[in-house]
Amino acid sequence: MDSVMVAAGLALLLGGGEGLVRGSVALATRMRLPMAVVGAVVLGFGTSMPEMLTSVSAALAGAPGIAIGNVLGSNIANILLILGVAAVIAPVPAGSAGGEDRAWLAVATAMGLAVIVIGASVGRGEGALLLAALAVYIWRQLARDSAMEPVPEIPGMGAAKIALYVLGGLATLIAGAWLLVEGATGIARALGISETVIGLTVVAVGTSLPELATSVIAARRGEAGLALGNILGSNVFNILAILGLTAVIVPIPAPPGLSAVDLGAVAAAAALLLALLATGRIGRGAGAGFLVLYAGYMGWLALGAA
């Protein structure tokens, strides 16, 4: 039954995330927002909603390992798995979507998260600090990108249809997040596996499916820069918005099973991306290397859980 709940939750998260992203992008284009804002802010926030609702649900259910593991695992998967797949499909130019600048921020937020979690818990004060940093990030992105050319309005997407996509997607996400957390927690307890490992793997990859779908579609359409903006924006939102909001609602104790390797992997993945962006682009070879590194990290988690 737990496996059925996980499968159903993942399906609902994928469907709800797709609906929310479509509605959010359509709303943004109706408001004549630049593509960089759509990629880094609108898509970054929209595709992070599964992670947000899952982490909040996990924290309220008393499963801090899933709450924090979901954020950490999603950030690792976003860079090594999802951006790796997108780069294999089409090389990603560094200059698009302000990639290097946002990568620096992704590294800084990852290291900041490590410092906070090492402190034994993420309390309401730390959560409020993360949300304040999020407000500054959004303001900076809107101010910097406001002079860019806006994207054309998507035809055939009226206000009523946008509302249906956004509200329907959000409702579906809420249901999917509850099912996923309940099922994943049950599996972890039945198998004697740490909730943190479940959060870093099954839950993290599952809640990252909207980013995967969005980035692959963008890469296949020749919009690799949109894929990069989506990944970097999502990683920043995962830490600042998701962990911040979750901690404000309910303080999150440092979960058992969370190691320095897991925290270091988040910062290392972001730092590696930053180094590659400095070369001008992320080619297919680098994308394949990302996938190899992600497979190695999953293997390490599997050995630790065995």
Side-chain angles (χ1 to χ4, degrees), residues 7 19 25-26 50 88 92 102 113 118 120 135 155 189 205 207 237 266 270 287 297:
V25 172
V88 168
V92 179
R102 290 180 177 116
L113 173 62
I118 288 173
R189 290 171 180 167
V205 174
T207 55
F237 273 108
V266 179
Y297 178 65

Side-chain angles (χ1 to χ4, degrees), residues 110-154:
M111 291 181 175
L113 173 62
V115 171
I116 290 174
V117 174
I118 288 173
S121 67
V122 185
R124 289 191 171 91
E126 291 88 348
L129 183 62
L130 291 173
L131 291 178
L134 174 67
V136 173
Y137 165 73
I138 294 176
W139 172 80
R140 188 166 181 266
Q141 298 307 312
L142 292 176
R144 191 188 68 179
D145 297 328
S146 61
M148 298 178 64
E149 288 295 322
V151 293
E153 181 177 332
I154 296 177

Side-chain angles (χ1 to χ4, degrees), residues 12-141:
L12 290 176
L13 285 175
L14 183 58
E18 174 70 14
L20 182 61
V21 168
R22 285 191 181 188
S24 299
V25 172
L27 178 61
T29 54
R30 282 176 66 90
M31 296 173 63
R32 316 298 289 176
L33 293 179
M35 182 61 76
V37 174
V38 173
V41 178
V42 179
L43 279 181
F45 180 77
T47 57
S48 290
M49 283 302 292
E51 286 95 333
M52 175 177 287
L53 293 173
T54 300
S55 288
V56 170
S57 298
L60 291 174
I66 290 181
I68 291 184
N70 175 37
V71 172
L72 295 176
S74 292
N75 275 27
I76 296 169
N78 280 350
I79 294 177
L80 298 183
L81 174 63
I82 297 173
L83 192 57
V85 171
V88 168
I89 294 173
V92 179
S96 57
E100 193 169 343
D101 180 48
R102 290 180 177 116
W104 271 111
L105 184 56
V107 173
T109 53
M111 291 181 175
L113 173 62
V115 171
I116 290 174
V117 174
I118 288 173
S121 67
V122 185
R124 289 191 171 91
E126 291 88 348
L129 183 62
L130 291 173
L131 291 178
L134 174 67
V136 173
Y137 165 73
I138 294 176
W139 172 80
R140 188 166 181 266
Q141 298 307 312

Side-chain angles (χ1 to χ4, degrees), residues 139-242:
W139 172 80
R140 188 166 181 266
Q141 298 307 312
L142 292 176
R144 191 188 68 179
D145 297 328
S146 61
M148 298 178 64
E149 288 295 322
V151 293
E153 181 177 332
I154 296 177
M157 186 74 84
K161 191 173 182 180
I162 290 176
L164 179 62
Y165 269 109
V166 172
L167 296 178
L170 185 58
T172 305
L173 283 173
I174 292 173
W178 182 83
L179 286 172
L180 180 60
V181 170
E182 290 295 314
T185 304
I187 290 174
R189 290 171 180 167
L191 298 178
I193 299 175
S194 164
E195 289 179 354
T196 303
V197 172
I198 293 292
L200 286 165
T201 54
V202 177
V203 176
V205 174
T207 55
S208 292
L209 289 177
E211 284 96 334
L212 177 60
T214 302
S215 296
V216 168
I217 291 171
R220 294 189 62 175
R221 291 179 178 176
E223 292 286 351
L226 184 59
L228 177 61
N230 174 35
I231 293 301
L232 293 177
S234 179
N235 274 21
V236 172
F237 273 108
N238 281 349
I239 294 177
L240 299 184
I242 297 173

